[in-house]
Amino acid sequence: MKHVFANWKMYLDFDESCILANQLLSQSFDAQKINLAIFPNFLAVSELVKIFRDTPIAVGGQTCAWAPKGAYTGAVSALLLKEVGCRYVLVGHSERRYIFGESGDDVRKKLEAALAAGLVPVLCVGETETDRKEEKREYRLKKQLLKALEGLDLSGRRLMVAYEPVWAIGSGNPCLPADADDIHGWIKLELKQYSEKDIPVLYGGSVEADKAAEYVARDMIDGILVGGAAVKFETFLPLLRAVESR
Ligand code: PGA
């Protein structure tokens, strides 16, 4: 079974989110082959939870606050996401790190909050274009993983990781499946320092329907995190079918 996680970012408004969710609902997916989760904007989260109730399709938050409750204007906690029915939350997406200035400390605190709330965090890591040019990919990933996971109590808890090279996101220039497979193998070895369990590692960054099956066919790639190709039914359905028929 491979994971397909759809990060709808701020692409869709409330109505568009519900329409796309209902289009997905009208399809059946083989739960043995695909674990599908949708990460809509916060305002659409509880409506999507209702739409997907009693189906295998899960809903997640795109980020969360690190505090559980209180005087944090504009924030949405992991606890609130859990209460409305989310299963997952993305933590440390590069758009949060680089556009909204989230630090490694913030990412760590959010991970702790997500785990404490009973959500499954999807920790996003990835090197920038500059890192890549300077051949610092492993250095950047090691640093992000260490900051996020060192000393974190993962016993009895689930964690997932998404490898999302910043240069590949939304660029139409993905990290190709063979290269992604290699670096996922390296990430999985790194993760052994933090947990004995196998932590699923998803690839994200310009995944389109035509390549989706090639990613999930790789042993080290446990699934994909899809942005742009997941916000239109016409592109998302073929992608899902490609993963399913792998
Ligand atoms: P993309 O986004 O598929 O549009 O590159 C992926 C992501 O940011 O999670």
Side-chain angles (χ1 to χ4, degrees):
M1 192 268 299
K2 298 278 175 161
H3 307 278
V4 179
F5 285 7
N7 177 9
W8 287 357
K9 310 192 181 189
M10 209 173 68
Y11 283 127
L12 303 177
D13 66 22
F14 181 81
D15 287 343
E16 290 164 339
S17 304
C18 296
I19 290 168
L20 182 50
N22 277 302
Q23 285 173 315
L24 294 171
L25 187 69
S26 71
Q27 303 291 314
S28 55
F29 300 104
D30 184 345
Q32 306 291 318
K33 294 193 171 158
I34 291 194
N35 173 38
L36 176 58
I38 309 292
F39 297 75
N41 72 67
F42 277 145
L43 296 181
V45 160
S46 58
E47 194 58 30
L48 260 66
V49 168
K50 277 190 215 147
I51 292 172
F52 294 133
R53 184 155 289 147
D54 301 325
T55 78
I57 305 177
V59 177
Q62 296 178 7
T63 182
C64 64
W66 40 258
K69 252 181 189 178
Y72 300 95
T73 303
V76 174
S77 71
L79 209 59
L80 293 172
L81 290 171
K82 178 71 182 174
E83 270 173 18
V84 298
C86 283
R87 191 177 307 159
Y88 301 100
V89 63
L90 302 180
V91 175
H93 188 280
S94 64
E95 284 151 18
R96 301 298 316 172
R97 291 181 195 257
Y98 299 110
I99 302 175
F100 296 101
E102 272 179 21
S103 67
D105 272 336
D106 294 328
V107 172
R108 169 56 179 251
K109 286 195 284 183
K110 288 176 181 216
L111 263 186
E112 287 176 5
L115 290 166
L119 292 170
V120 179
V122 183
L123 169 66
C124 303
V125 294
E127 78 284 1
T128 62
E129 176 71 43
T130 311
D131 293 332
R132 183 162 80 136
K133 283 192 185 129
E134 295 173 357
E135 294 181 10
K136 283 187 176 160
R137 172 155 76 171
E138 284 81 358
Y139 163 84
R140 181 68 55 212
L141 294 173
K142 213 180 215 334
K143 225 173 137 178
Q144 289 176 339
L145 292 172
L146 182 75
K147 186 82 195 167
L149 301 176
E150 193 182 25
L152 190 67
D153 179 13
L154 288 170
S155 47
R157 290 151 149 195
R158 282 180 65 203
L159 168 74
M160 299 171 86
V161 167
Y163 168 61
E164 295 210 305
V166 182
W167 50 267
I169 295 177
S171 66
N173 175 31
C175 175
L176 295 174
D179 186 17
D181 193 48
D182 283 350
I183 196 73
H184 278 224
W186 181 88
I187 291 171
K188 279 176 182 277
L189 276 180
E190 282 292 303
L191 289 171
K192 289 272 173 262
Q193 295 173 41
Y194 307 106
S195 172
E196 286 163 7
K197 282 188 286 184
D198 182 53
I199 295 174
V201 183
L202 279 55
Y203 169 73
S206 295
V207 177
E208 305 282 344
D210 61 344
K211 284 253 173 0
E214 277 185 58
Y215 286 101
V216 297
R218 302 274 171 172
D219 287 346
M220 297 293 148
I221 302 182
D222 299 301
I224 45 182
L225 178 54
V226 188
V231 293
K232 283 197 195 105
F233 189 62
E234 305 77 67
T235 53
F236 196 30
L237 187 64
L239 185 152
L240 291 165
R241 293 294 177 224
V243 171
E244 207 176 29
S245 64
R246 163 189 75 88

